[in-house]
Amino acid sequence: TGKIDNLRDKTPLQIKELGVRLSFVPEDRLGMGLVGNMDIVDNMMLRSYRKGKSLFVDRKQPKTLAKKIIDELGVVTPGTTTPVRRLSGGNVQKILLGREIAASPTVLMAAYPVRGLDINSSYLVYNLLNEQKRNGVAVIFVGEDLDVLIELCDRIMVISSGKISGIVDARTTTKEEIGLLMTKSKHQEEGNTVYAGRIDGESARFVVTPDKAVTFHYGAKTYGPYTAHEDPSAIPDNNAAQNMTGVEILEDGHVFFRGGVLGDGKGHSQ
């Protein structure tokens, strides 16, 4: 209809009434997604018990669904009556994801769906999510592994300090660009400029204050602030055991540094 509805303050049932079939794979599988002490069939019923038309619960369809998920996703379990808390993390995730996909969602949200899983289970989850995407389902993937996000997603939304700091095309973006967006909001509020670059082949961030003081964020450590020099010849060489001696901010936005344990290199502005 072209009408835009704000779903922020609506309950899941209200969202469903609008025609949005939402499935959710939470980060806490046994705390929010499944009930550990219940068996696989009963956990299937958590999605369908409202459809019952009598005082008695129909277990036939949930049991059929449980068997289908076990067969199609290769769940290792003694049977459908096994409590899910006795299953491995990978098998628990298969049960949860299989149930949510079986609901034929229009929107599927998965939060850290491979955390704690082995490599085979992880690739199974990725393949299931990609299959849903090909079927026209809007898949929202919440994750922290930048390599996975770039490979799996079409677009990546970066949230920093509780605010959206940018949306990038996963096909053309880089980890450096995403890393810059991850710190963008904080430093913009402070009036600083943030550059993404590399030091000795590894990703680094260069935070430049209005008075040209530069701080380097490299690995798990922070160096600086250091004074920037406009003239490259003014940057002193440093062969002593000091961290950094000088920084030059070039007109094209590159950052050049010399001396110290970090070596020489350039940080390319994004």
Side-chain angles (χ1 to χ4, degrees):
T1 61
K3 180 182 177 182
I4 298 177
D5 290 298
N6 188 348
L7 305 180
R8 180 179 299 175
D9 299 322
K10 297 186 181 298
T11 65
L13 287 179
Q14 290 173 330
I15 294 175
K16 184 177 180 180
E17 291 172 355
L18 293 173
V20 179
R21 299 189 304 275
L22 175 64
S23 287
F24 179 44
V25 180
E27 177 183 1
D28 188 355
R29 299 159 196 151
L30 293 179
M32 297 177 61
L34 302 172
V35 179
N37 289 328
M38 291 169 53
D39 63 30
I40 300 174
V41 175
D42 287 342
N43 273 286
M44 296 299 107
M45 292 176 60
L46 293 178
R47 262 273 183 187
S48 60
Y49 73 93
R50 290 180 179 272
K51 299 178 181 179
K53 298 180 180 180
S54 68
L55 296 176
F56 300 97
V57 177
D58 180 14
R59 295 173 57 88
K60 184 176 180 180
Q61 290 185 350
K63 187 173 183 178
T64 301
L65 176 59
K67 290 181 177 179
K68 180 180 179 182
I69 292 174
I70 291 172
D71 293 338
E72 293 185 356
L73 301 187
V75 178
V76 179
T77 175
T80 59
T81 59
T82 302
V84 295
R85 62 180 172 80
R86 296 184 180 178
L87 304 180
S88 66
N91 288 304
V92 169
Q93 190 70 319
K94 291 175 184 178
I95 294 294
L96 176 56
L97 189 56
R99 185 192 69 186
E100 295 303 300
I101 290 176
S104 300
T106 54
V107 179
L108 172 61
M109 182 174 185
Y112 307 100
V114 300
R115 178 174 287 176
L117 302 187
D118 61 76
I119 188 66
N120 291 329
S121 297
S122 297
Y123 273 102
L124 175 63
V125 171
Y126 295 147
N127 291 335
L128 288 172
L129 295 177
N130 274 323
E131 182 180 355
Q132 291 302 297
K133 185 172 66 173
R134 288 191 294 268
N135 291 338
V137 177
V139 179
I140 302 174
F141 182 93
V142 182
E144 57 192 1
D145 188 320
L146 298 187
D147 291 315
V148 171
L149 290 171
I150 291 174
E151 184 68 25
L152 194 65
C153 300
D154 297 304
R155 291 183 297 172
I156 300 175
M157 175 188 292
V158 183
I159 298 178
S160 175
S161 302
K163 299 179 180 179
I164 297 175
S165 58
I167 300 176
V168 297
D169 188 332
R171 295 169 295 183
T172 58
T173 192
T174 63
K175 289 191 289 186
E176 287 77 16
E177 181 181 11
I178 297 174
L180 174 62
L181 290 173
M182 291 168 65
T183 60
K184 180 178 179 181
S185 296
K186 176 182 177 181
H187 294 299
Q188 276 188 337
E189 291 174 0
E190 296 174 351
N192 299 334
T193 303
V194 183
Y195 296 94
R198 305 188 75 82
I199 298 177
D200 293 341
E202 295 189 24
S203 298
R205 287 187 297 112
F206 309 88
V207 181
V208 185
T209 64
D211 59 356
K212 299 295 185 179
V214 183
T215 300
F216 295 83
H217 300 270
Y218 173 61
K221 297 182 179 180
T222 298
Y223 300 88
Y226 303 100
T227 303
H229 298 271
E230 298 295 341
D231 181 6
S233 62
I235 305 176
D237 289 319
N238 178 26
N239 295 321
Q242 298 181 15
N243 287 335
M244 190 64 62
T245 56
V247 178
E248 174 201 359
I249 303 176
L250 305 180
E251 292 182 359
D252 61 0
H254 287 52
V255 178
F256 181 84
F257 55 90
R258 175 185 295 170
V261 298
L262 295 182
D264 297 340
K266 288 186 178 181
H268 301 274
S269 63
Q270 300 290 327

